Amino acid sequence: MIKLFDTWHVVVHALIPVCVFTIFFTALFKEWKIRKQVIILLFCVMLVSFFSLLFLKRMIRNELSEQLSEYSFIVGTTLEFDEKRLISALKNQIYISTNKTRPVDRTTLRIVINSGELELWISRDSDNPNIYWIYHPKYLYSRSNEIGKIQVR
């Protein structure tokens, strides 16, 4: 599954700029009869590719939720927050949205699950110290893009 998600991320990020470049390049050929159809097709491919990244985020969230249980617990952290609330929010996919904030102070978080340990990266929100940005370093996409933001207090 790791290779699938990582390949998906790389292909989509390569495909979108190629489509944009091809649309602009195709627009220059005014005498080409199928120009309109090519532009529409490439635009649709670009939109589907973009929205597939949102679907990828959803799949990573679902996988994370399935790995966690009520017996999961956090080990080796120096951060002070309600651990049960964090695990519950991840398991039940209770994510919140914020505007015009950024993550600060990225920290590794280890969660013990039934099959071993799960590593996540969390970052405190720049405006609200009770909100954490969650990253899943297992996948290329979720190393650079948060899978969600969770309020822990």
Side-chain angles (χ1 to χ4, degrees):
M1 203 63 136
I2 295 171
K3 293 232 184 249
L4 173 69
F5 287 171
D6 287 347
T7 304
W8 185 347
H9 172 72
V10 169
V11 167
V12 168
H13 274 80
L15 189 62
I16 291 174
V18 167
C19 285
V20 169
F21 175 75
T22 309
I23 287 171
F24 287 123
F25 185 72
T26 304
L28 297 175
F29 294 104
K30 296 187 186 213
E31 287 81 34
W32 197 25
K33 294 182 182 179
I34 61 168
R35 177 178 67 126
K36 183 177 180 181
Q37 291 88 346
V38 170
I39 290 174
I40 290 171
L41 175 69
L42 290 172
F43 185 74
C44 291
V45 167
M46 188 176 62
L47 282 179
V48 168
S49 298
F50 174 76
F51 286 114
S52 76
L53 288 177
L54 300 177
F55 183 65
L56 179 60
K57 182 185 224 179
R58 177 49 105 193
M59 289 176 64
I60 293 171
R61 284 179 174 182
N62 287 341
E63 181 183 307
L64 178 60
S65 175
E66 290 170 5
Q67 290 177 336
L68 296 170
S69 69
E70 63 269 4
Y71 304 111
S72 298
F73 59 94
I74 298 171
V75 293
T77 183
T78 58
L79 299 174
E80 295 179 20
F81 56 81
D82 186 356
E83 295 178 6
K84 291 290 184 193
R85 187 168 180 172
L86 176 79
I87 291 175
S88 174
L90 289 170
K91 171 120 183 83
N92 298 318
Q93 299 187 26
I94 303 170
Y95 297 100
I96 62 170
S97 61
T98 59
N99 292 325
K100 299 181 181 176
T101 63
R102 59 182 171 73
V104 293
D105 301 331
R106 185 177 286 187
T107 306
T108 299
L109 185 71
R110 296 195 190 292
I111 302 174
V112 176
I113 57 175
N114 292 335
S115 60
E117 273 191 14
L118 171 69
E119 182 178 306
L120 296 175
W121 294 340
I122 64 171
S123 297
R124 189 179 304 266
D125 188 73
S126 61
D127 284 348
N128 188 340
N130 298 323
I131 295 176
Y132 285 90
W133 297 44
I134 309 296
Y135 300 86
H136 199 337
K138 181 178 178 182
Y139 303 110
L140 183 62
Y141 172 80
S142 56
R143 280 183 212 136
S144 56
N145 301 294
E146 91 278 347
I147 58 171
K149 299 170 193 122
I150 293 178
Q151 188 160 2
V152 294
R153 290 187 190 137

